[in-house]
Amino acid sequence: MTLLEKLNQDMIQAMKKKDKDTLTVIRMVKASIQNELIKLGKEHLSENEELTILSRELKQRKESLQEFTSADRADLADKAQFEIEVLEQYMPKQLSIEETEKIVEQAIREANATSMKDIGKVMGKVIPLTKGKADGSQVKQIVEEKLK
C-alpha cells in the first residue's frame, strides 16, 4: 500500500469520526504529495520520495514547535505537537541511538575517515541508510562526535 493510499484510507476514517484536526494534517500531507507529483510530472512517487516529503513535513513541524515553545505560545505548540504525532504514524520505525552509532561507525571504517575533514564522505554513506529512520541533526551530531 502506498503512502497516498494509506492517507486516503485514514482521511475517510477521520471524516467518519469527525476528527477535524487529524483530517487537516492528512490533507496537508496529501497536498504536499500532490504538489510534488505535479512538480516532478509523475503519476506515482517512489517510497523514497514519499519518505522525503514526510521527513520535510515533520522537520517543519518540529522547527515550528521549537519556535512556539520559545515564544510561550502553548496553544500553537500543542497544535504543532499534535501534527508531529500524526505525521510520525506514517514514518518508518525510528533507529535507536545505538543502531545509528553502529551505522556511523561502519561508514567511518568504509570511508577510512580520520578527522572532521572527512565528514562529507561519512555523511554521504550514512544519510541513505538513515533517511527517514533517524533525525538528520542527531546523525550529524553522532558523526561529529565519532570523528573528533
Side-chain angles (χ1 to χ4, degrees):
M1 177 182 300
T2 68
L3 176 61
L4 206 50
E5 291 169 344
K6 174 92 173 100
L7 287 168
N8 283 328
Q9 280 185 346
D10 292 350
M11 188 170 79
I12 292 168
Q13 290 300 319
M15 284 182 201
K16 287 180 180 178
K17 293 179 184 176
K18 297 186 186 329
D19 184 354
K20 291 181 182 178
D21 296 332
T22 302
L23 187 59
T24 301
V25 177
I26 292 171
R27 283 183 172 154
M28 282 191 283
V29 174
K30 277 190 63 176
S32 293
I33 291 171
Q34 296 293 352
N35 289 339
E36 195 72 16
L37 284 169
I38 292 167
K39 180 176 143 190
L40 297 174
K42 294 183 175 181
E43 289 206 20
H44 303 287
L45 293 176
S46 69
E47 190 175 324
N48 197 29
E49 291 168 326
E50 291 175 342
L51 193 56
T52 300
I53 293 168
L54 268 178
S55 297
R56 181 176 55 221
E57 293 291 322
L58 196 56
K59 182 180 177 185
Q60 288 173 353
R61 299 314 185 287
K62 286 181 178 180
E63 289 171 356
S64 296
L65 178 62
Q66 288 177 341
E67 290 175 23
F68 296 147
T69 303
S70 65
D72 289 329
R73 291 295 309 265
D75 56 331
L76 295 175
D78 291 343
K79 183 179 180 224
Q81 182 62 44
F82 175 78
E83 290 177 0
I84 289 168
E85 290 167 9
V86 171
L87 289 172
E88 284 177 339
Q89 295 172 16
Y90 301 100
M91 295 294 289
K93 180 184 172 289
Q94 298 294 294
L95 295 171
S96 69
I97 292 176
E98 294 79 23
E99 291 170 320
T100 306
E101 286 177 345
K102 287 179 185 174
I103 291 170
V104 168
E105 289 166 0
Q106 178 66 31
I108 289 172
R109 283 193 296 276
E110 288 176 10
N112 295 322
T114 55
S115 69
M116 288 297 287
K117 291 180 185 176
D118 301 319
I119 193 167
K121 292 179 193 175
V122 175
M123 290 298 286
K125 291 184 177 293
V126 172
I127 293 297
L129 299 173
T130 60
K131 187 172 190 167
K133 298 176 189 170
D135 181 43
S137 59
Q138 183 184 42
V139 171
K140 184 176 182 229
Q141 181 182 1
I142 292 170
V143 170
E144 288 172 348
E145 287 174 11
K146 300 286 182 185
L147 288 178
K148 285 183 181 174

